[in-house]
Every structure is written in structure tokens, then in C-alpha cells.
Amino acid sequence: VFLLVKPYKILFDVYLFSSKIILIFKPTYLFTRSFLRQIFVYIFLFFFTQIIVGNSFSKTVIIPEPQKVDYKPGVFDLTSKSIVIGYSDEPLEFGSELIVNSLLEYHNIEPETKEGNGNIFLQIVDVLPFDTKLDSIIELQAYQLTIDESGITITGLTPRAVFYGAMSLIQLIENTPSNQLQNMEIQDWP
């Protein structure tokens, strides 16, 4: 995010870049009353925006932000055992291949994929594992992504729903600098 703020009387320019403020002072105005007033206003605005912006970011880095995220203690270690990505139905193979590519590119981990169970498992179910009061068309796109010490499970009613869950998992993988994913349960729908 790059934001350029120029006040009415230009005493200094303020640049906000990646949560860091850079001030470029105009030396002729240093320590005048209007300059100090302006510094006070900018300090107030800085702390106010940190409170607002800081609270709007969650620990998950998924866009769009999921409807519900429930963090649990512990982590799933991507390197503790060999990763096997399993899928319940053939249309889910594409999502599993995308997860493979993400793990390989971002963590240098090359998992195996197969139809059947795995410690990362993509599954089409008849009933969602969470209670929703959603429109039937929206419910077809809802998914649950569960991460715990034993593995990762993505469930949905349709291949599209499971694909959306796989995209969320890929975002978590790509935005995690370590080889560990926080245990959590995500429930999302459009």
C-alpha cells in the first residue's frame, strides 16, 4: 500500500509504505507552531490508523476473507512425515495437483498424490460437516478446511466447493514462511 498525504500547508510530506512512515521535512518550517501542530495531527492519525488497520487483519492470509475461522492450538508440520495428497473423486485431482505445485514452489516439498486417503485429503461429502442456513445454490459452494496435527481435510458438496477450499489452503501454504501451518478450522461460502 502506498499512500501520499500532502497537507494544506506543506510543512513536510508523509509517505506510508508497508506500515512504515517516512517523513520528508521542509527545513524552513522546523519547530514553528503550525509545524508542531501538524506533527501532532499526523502522530494521532498514525496511531488511529494502526488501531483500525491493525484490527482488520486476521492471522489468516486468505483473500477473500473466510466467513468463519476458528484457531486451534498446535501446528501441522509439513516436513514431519511424507506428505500424501489424497482425493475422494477424480474431479478433485486438479485441486490436489495445484496443492502439489504450491508445496514444491514455496517449501521445496514434493508430495505424492493418489485417489484415496492422505494426510492432506480432498473430499466430496453428502452433507456439510457444519450447520448452515444457506441458500441451496450457495451451499453447493461452501467448504470446510480443517488443519490439525494429523493432517488437513477439505470437504464440500461439489468439486467446485472443494476447489475453493484448495485455493484457501494454497494461500495459507504460500503465505507461511515456515513449514508449519497453524491448526484451524475454516468454514467458508460465497
Side-chain angles (χ1 to χ4, degrees):
V1 175
F2 179 76
L3 174 68
L4 172 63
V5 179
K6 289 202 173 202
Y8 177 69
K9 287 184 175 183
I10 301 176
L11 302 176
F12 58 87
D13 294 322
V14 177
Y15 298 89
L16 176 61
F17 184 73
S18 296
S19 300
K20 294 180 182 152
I21 291 187
I22 301 170
L23 299 177
I24 301 176
F25 294 98
K26 309 288 186 186
T28 57
Y29 293 105
L30 288 177
F31 303 112
T32 64
R33 184 175 287 170
S34 61
F35 175 78
L36 294 175
R37 189 177 312 126
Q38 191 175 22
I39 286 181
F40 175 78
V41 168
Y42 279 112
I43 290 172
F44 172 78
L45 289 174
F46 170 75
F47 285 110
F48 180 75
T49 56
Q50 290 301 308
I51 291 169
I52 300 298
V53 172
N55 289 337
S56 70
F57 291 117
S58 63
K59 290 167 62 174
T60 46
V61 187
I62 299 174
I63 299 173
E65 188 172 349
Q67 301 287 339
K68 183 179 176 193
V69 179
D70 184 22
Y71 295 98
K72 313 263 182 184
V75 294
F76 175 69
D77 191 349
L78 295 167
T79 58
S80 66
K81 49 192 156 193
S82 64
I83 300 293
V84 177
I85 302 176
Y87 49 91
S88 64
D89 298 280
E90 192 174 323
L92 304 179
E93 184 177 9
F94 177 69
S96 68
E97 290 298 328
L98 293 175
I99 295 170
V100 167
N101 293 339
S102 179
L103 285 168
L104 186 58
E105 182 177 346
Y106 287 88
H107 296 279
N108 202 26
I109 298 170
E110 191 168 1
E112 171 191 344
T113 61
K114 68 175 189 168
E115 190 166 352
N117 287 333
N119 46 14
I120 299 177
F121 188 53
L122 287 65
Q123 179 181 23
I124 295 176
V125 294
D126 295 327
V127 178
L128 285 173
F130 58 95
D131 186 30
T132 64
K133 296 187 176 29
L134 300 173
D135 179 82
S136 61
I137 294 188
I138 292 176
E139 187 177 48
L140 292 175
Q141 300 175 57
Y143 68 89
Q144 178 170 299
L145 168 61
T146 305
I147 302 173
D148 60 31
E149 288 88 1
S150 62
I152 300 170
T153 305
I154 302 170
T155 57
L157 298 177
T158 62
R160 176 183 287 186
V162 176
F163 176 79
Y164 292 153
M167 293 301 98
S168 294
L169 176 59
I170 288 170
Q171 288 185 58
L172 289 172
I173 290 168
E174 292 177 357
N175 291 299
T176 301
S178 70
N179 288 331
Q180 297 179 330
L181 295 174
Q182 172 69 42
N183 288 350
M184 67 180 74
E185 185 175 271
I186 297 174
Q187 297 170 353
D188 195 21
W189 54 88

